[in-house]
Amino acid sequence: MPVPARPARGRPLLSHDRIVDTALELLHGLALKELTMRRLAQALDTTPAALYGYFRSQEELFAAVATRVVRGIELGALEEVADWRERLRLWARAVRSRQLEFASTVAMAQISPHIPASWFEVTAPLLRALEMAGLSGKALIDTARCFSRIVYGSILTELAQDPYLLQCERAEAGAALEHLTPSAAGQVAAILPYLGVQDNDALFEMTIDCALRGIAAGLPPPA
Amino acid sequence: MPVPARPARGRPLLSHDRIVDTALELLHGLALKELTMRRLAQALDTTPAALYGYFRSQEELFAAVATRVVRGIELGALEEVADWRERLRLWARAVRSRQLEFASTVAMAQISPHIPASWFEVTAPLLRALEMAGLSGKALIDTARCFSRIVYGSILTELAQDPYLLQCERAEAGAALEHLTPSAAGQVAAILPYLGVQDNDALFEMTIDCALRGIAAGLPPPA
DNA sequence: ACCTGAACACCGTTCAAGT
DNA sequence: ACCTGAACACCGTTCAAGT
């Protein structure tokens, strides 16, 4: 990440980029709620009001930050891969690793509705991979949307979950055991050892595998 | 939904349930950001400070609201269905329709990390359906988590998207057309008519179909 | 025991005034 | 043109004081 440097001599002191850079830097150590206009201004050695010369609102600023994160998704490696499945897998991994790096910005898309505008750069490689799989037209774009939803959805739910909740999962299942019919209780008991822990890396790969099998099985038969 | 009634005569005027009821009612007409302690107190004809006798913080109150929403997911119809695929489909639809009803509460899970504690009631039917498909042990719970991620992920991304973004999608693709190699431009042009509109109902069904095929194809071969 | 009123430490945003 | 200082209308939360 480029270190936001104050301009050498000439004015203006602020710039669109410098503000976004600093916001991203702060987000490495701050939750989204703690990234306030006042704090950001302080980190930039300026006044909250000065930021409004570059962004009409906090929402617009957040959108710019989210856009920057999406722009940083590294998709160059896809082109060297011949298998469409492998391309989709790489796409999913690239999106996830970038979004996890700035975990708090994922929630921005939830808070501010104006999602990053760099849609094309991210989606084009996905579309190309699905074309290689034999899709075209409406089926192509719809499948891309499905896959994208699955990938982003996995990331969102992964980030929404916290360790405390996972503990609850086990405790709740254990508590429910006593009020169940014997057969149902047996089913739950068989599950119990796997509750309360979760390997997010493995679960993500498994979800992608599931999606890939689903896409492959839904492909039109090769003529 | 039960209308929150003031208690007939005896005190106290407030209660855990009456507060959550009123919050849910307000959320039918208010965005999550607009559901403040002050506004909620006003709707309850009381003081913001009074709410802190029932919830330690706004976060805890939001968690209670989200829990109530999850509790309202109607899963009774699943039991009458023999096919596991159809059960999973019904599960997904039930979750979606309830969460869409209180769209703003979906973001609560993003904001407050303490997700609803009624995990078991919602997940148990899902686990049972996957058992019918032939899964057990770790594969069972992991597949349930995958499916749940796909379903919740689809809902989250659906809600995060707004019409304005979809317009951008088309505009951006159109703009990108000019800077592309002829062959790439041809690919994008073929896609263009399908951008900018989106049938969320159909896309959700398609995503679920994809997941079901993926799960079926990943099942252990029947002995 | 339950609630009120007032206060505290924050917010985003605006706008006249400075340079 | 760019930025500052001060203000406005809100927040969540706390706590002494009331009943």
Side-chain angles (χ1 to χ4, degrees):
Chain A
M1 179 149 56
V3 173
R6 296 199 74 151
R9 195 146 296 259
R11 294 239 213 49
L13 299 101
L14 285 176
S15 79
H16 199 97
D17 275 350
R18 209 165 81 85
I19 294 171
V20 173
D21 283 336
T22 307
L24 271 179
E25 228 177 43
L26 286 180
L27 279 176
H28 267 137
L30 245 52
L32 186 58
K33 265 179 97 171
E34 298 163 347
L35 180 64
T36 64
M37 301 302 267
R38 286 173 149 89
R39 246 194 274 250
L40 180 54
Q42 199 180 9
L44 283 160
D45 236 327
T46 182
T47 305
L51 300 174
Y52 288 85
Y54 298 84
F55 300 93
R56 269 191 299 251
S57 65
Q58 183 179 247
E59 193 178 317
E60 193 176 301
L61 192 155
F62 280 5
V65 172
T67 302
R68 178 75 69 84
V69 173
V70 170
R71 285 243 166 80
I73 297 174
E74 207 22 91
L75 295 171
L78 296 217
E79 309 222 354
E80 301 160 19
V81 176
D83 182 35
W84 65 269
R85 291 166 211 253
E86 202 51 40
R87 281 203 185 199
L88 290 183
R89 225 187 296 271
L90 288 179
W91 187 88
R93 285 193 196 129
V95 170
R96 177 169 178 256
S97 77
R98 176 67 174 172
Q99 296 286 4
L100 289 188
E101 190 188 348
F102 297 98
S104 23
T105 65
V106 177
M108 283 181 178
Q110 294 288 318
I111 289 172
S112 86
H114 295 282
I115 265 180
S118 44
W119 174 86
F120 183 74
E121 293 153 36
V122 178
T123 309
L126 174 58
L127 290 171
R128 226 171 299 138
L130 286 170
E131 266 178 337
M132 291 167 59
L135 289 168
S136 64
K138 190 162 187 326
L140 169 59
I141 182 93
D142 281 346
T143 308
R145 281 171 174 153
C146 279
F147 189 71
S148 173
R149 281 184 176 206
I150 290 172
V151 170
Y152 264 97
S154 291
I155 298 168
L156 280 168
T157 44
E158 175 178 342
L159 286 172
Q161 228 150 30
D162 73 331
Y164 173 75
L165 166 73
L166 278 172
Q167 280 177 247
C168 296
E169 195 179 89
R170 187 184 214 127
E172 247 202 285
L177 252 177
E178 304 176 14
H179 312 120
L180 261 43
T181 64
S183 79
Q187 294 175 348
V188 173
I191 294 299
L192 216 59
Y194 307 109
L195 297 180
V197 280
Q198 193 166 289
D199 180 345
N200 280 320
D201 290 344
L203 217 49
F204 185 77
E205 294 293 330
M206 186 175 166
T207 308
I208 300 308
D209 285 342
C210 180
L212 291 182
R213 282 195 306 267
I215 291 172
L219 248 31
Chain B
M1 181 149 55
V3 174
R6 297 199 71 151
R9 195 143 298 258
R11 295 240 210 49
L13 298 101
L14 252 32
S15 78
H16 198 95
D17 275 350
R18 208 164 81 86
I19 294 172
V20 173
D21 283 336
T22 307
L24 271 178
E25 228 176 43
L26 287 181
L27 278 176
H28 267 137
L30 246 51
L32 185 58
K33 266 180 98 170
E34 298 163 347
L35 180 63
T36 64
M37 301 302 267
R38 285 172 150 90
R39 247 195 274 251
L40 181 54
Q42 199 179 11
L44 282 159
D45 238 326
T46 182
T47 305
L51 301 174
Y52 288 85
Y54 297 84
F55 300 93
R56 268 191 299 249
S57 65
Q58 183 181 244
E59 192 179 317
E60 192 176 302
L61 191 155
F62 280 6
V65 172
T67 302
R68 177 77 69 86
V69 173
V70 169
R71 284 245 167 80
I73 297 174
E74 206 21 90
L75 295 171
L78 297 215
E79 310 221 354
E80 298 161 20
V81 176
D83 182 36
W84 64 269
R85 291 167 211 252
E86 203 51 41
R87 282 203 185 199
L88 289 184
R89 225 187 296 270
L90 288 179
W91 187 87
R93 285 191 196 131
V95 169
R96 177 168 178 258
S97 76
R98 176 68 174 171
Q99 295 287 4
L100 288 188
E101 191 187 347
F102 298 98
S104 25
T105 64
V106 177
M108 283 180 177
Q110 293 289 320
I111 288 172
S112 86
H114 295 283
I115 265 180
S118 43
W119 175 86
F120 183 73
E121 292 153 37
V122 178
T123 308
L126 174 58
L127 290 171
R128 224 172 300 138
L130 286 169
E131 267 178 339
M132 291 167 60
L135 289 168
S136 64
K138 190 161 186 324
L140 169 59
I141 181 96
D142 281 346
T143 306
R145 282 172 172 152
C146 279
F147 189 71
S148 172
R149 282 185 176 206
I150 290 172
V151 171
Y152 264 98
S154 291
I155 299 166
L156 281 168
T157 46
E158 176 177 341
L159 287 172
Q161 229 151 29
D162 72 333
Y164 173 76
L165 166 72
L166 278 172
Q167 280 178 247
C168 296
E169 195 177 87
R170 187 183 214 128
E172 248 203 285
L177 253 178
E178 305 176 14
H179 311 119
L180 259 46
T181 64
S183 78
Q187 294 177 348
V188 173
I191 294 300
L192 216 59
Y194 306 111
L195 297 181
V197 282
Q198 193 167 289
D199 180 345
N200 279 319
D201 290 344
L203 216 49
F204 185 77
E205 294 293 329
M206 187 175 164
T207 307
I208 300 308
D209 285 342
C210 179
L212 291 182
R213 283 195 305 268
I215 290 171
L219 247 32

